[in-house]
Amino acid sequence: MDKRIIIAIVGAMGVILAGIAVLGWIALSGPRVPVYESDTFTEADSDFDGPAIDSGARIELEKLRQQVEAMSERIEGLERDISELRSRPMPSTPPPAGQQQEGSAAFPRDGPNKIIDSYPQVVLIAARRTLNQGVRIATPSYLASIFGKPREDLTQDCRSMTNQRLKDKLVTEEVGPIRVTMLRPAIDSLRNVFAKIEATDPDLYARINTAGSLCVRLIRGSSSSISTHAFGLSLDLNIDGKLDTLGDGRTQLGLTILADFFRNEGWYWGAGFGREDSMHFEASRDLVERWIEEGKL
């Protein structure tokens, strides 16, 4: 439960109360309407000085009052739920991967995961050009200026890396639920990301799949631009092995959840590219600069 839900309901109540006020004003101060006791309008009717009673408005007022009462009861229920959630102890940091047990106080399970079958569902990406705010991208031109090209004779096909500085840092390992070939500091960072995902949402973690990591080549359709996959600092992910459609502005629901974990670790999400590529996650320029400073690259 979230206070935003309560705020939304209170806002709706405000609208309803405003409607009650308007209808009340209409009912009490609208044009005077004579009371007909028969089909004949009498002289007594013309002397009527009291406010007109619009029965239609009275009915609407009653309906609105009932809605307010129902919303009040709903708010009380939400407040009780929030109080219960706040009373549950939460750790300052997630436990190491594999040590979190189902039903523990850290990440309590209230029952079956109700959205587990929605993780591969395709949804629109909201405000995707602002998703990576505060995270700088490590462009291929930037990486080449720092490390040199991954190999001199690049083509459209995946080939081996010949750049010795990068090649010496390449490793192939099982990282969380997938197997990847990437630079050592990128794999270590990726391991942290997956450990937090597993501790927080083991159902989603179990459905993570990969469409590849290292691929030393040019960007598809380009004769000069290097793919970021060529540097061993990026990988493609999906849910249940279902590949995303490139450039359609949509993605799997599960990837939108994963993106938060990656962004918190300092990774850049390809959903924010000019041509949306939401399967793509890459180490940011900030991470690369830090790893260089620490002597890891």
Side-chain angles (χ1 to χ4, degrees), residues 261-277:
F261 290 93
F262 276 91
R263 184 170 51 253
N264 289 339
E265 185 70 17
W267 288 64
Y268 193 96
W269 188 24
F273 289 161
R275 183 176 64 165
E276 170 266 317
D277 184 5

Side-chain angles (χ1 to χ4, degrees), residues 22 47 49 54 108 112 198 233 247 279 295:
V22 171
D47 294 331
D49 290 324
D54 187 332
E198 183 181 22
L233 291 167
M279 289 199 303

Side-chain angles (χ1 to χ4, degrees), residues 249-267:
R250 299 163 66 86
T251 192
Q252 292 175 304
L253 175 63
L255 291 182
T256 67
I257 300 173
L258 296 184
D260 288 334
F261 290 93
F262 276 91
R263 184 170 51 253
N264 289 339
E265 185 70 17
W267 288 64

Side-chain angles (χ1 to χ4, degrees), residues 15-26:
V15 173
I16 293 173
L17 290 172
I20 291 175
V22 171
L23 287 172
W25 181 84
I26 292 172

Side-chain angles (χ1 to χ4, degrees), residues 143 145-150 161-170 183 288 291-293 295-297:
L143 294 174
S145 71
I146 298 296
F147 304 115
K149 293 181 178 180
M161 183 181 286
T162 59
N163 180 312
Q164 201 60 46
R165 178 179 176 181
L166 296 175
K167 185 177 180 180
D168 289 345
K169 304 292 185 183
L170 275 182
L183 300 185
V288 171
W291 294 336
I292 292 173
E293 185 178 343
K296 295 179 179 179
L297 286 178

Side-chain angles (χ1 to χ4, degrees), residues 111-170:
N113 186 339
K114 295 180 180 179
I115 68 167
I116 189 169
D117 292 325
S118 299
Y119 291 135
Q121 178 181 336
V122 176
V123 296
L124 285 171
I125 307 172
R128 67 180 189 83
R129 299 309 296 272
T130 63
L131 292 171
N132 295 293
Q133 241 174 359
V135 181
R136 294 186 299 162
I137 187 171
T139 62
S141 58
Y142 162 76
L143 294 174
S145 71
I146 298 296
F147 304 115
K149 293 181 178 180
R151 65 177 296 135
E152 287 302 319
D153 53 335
L154 290 159
T155 67
Q156 296 284 323
D157 300 317
C158 292
R159 303 171 73 185
S160 61
M161 183 181 286
T162 59
N163 180 312
Q164 201 60 46
R165 178 179 176 181
L166 296 175
K167 185 177 180 180
D168 289 345
K169 304 292 185 183
L170 275 182

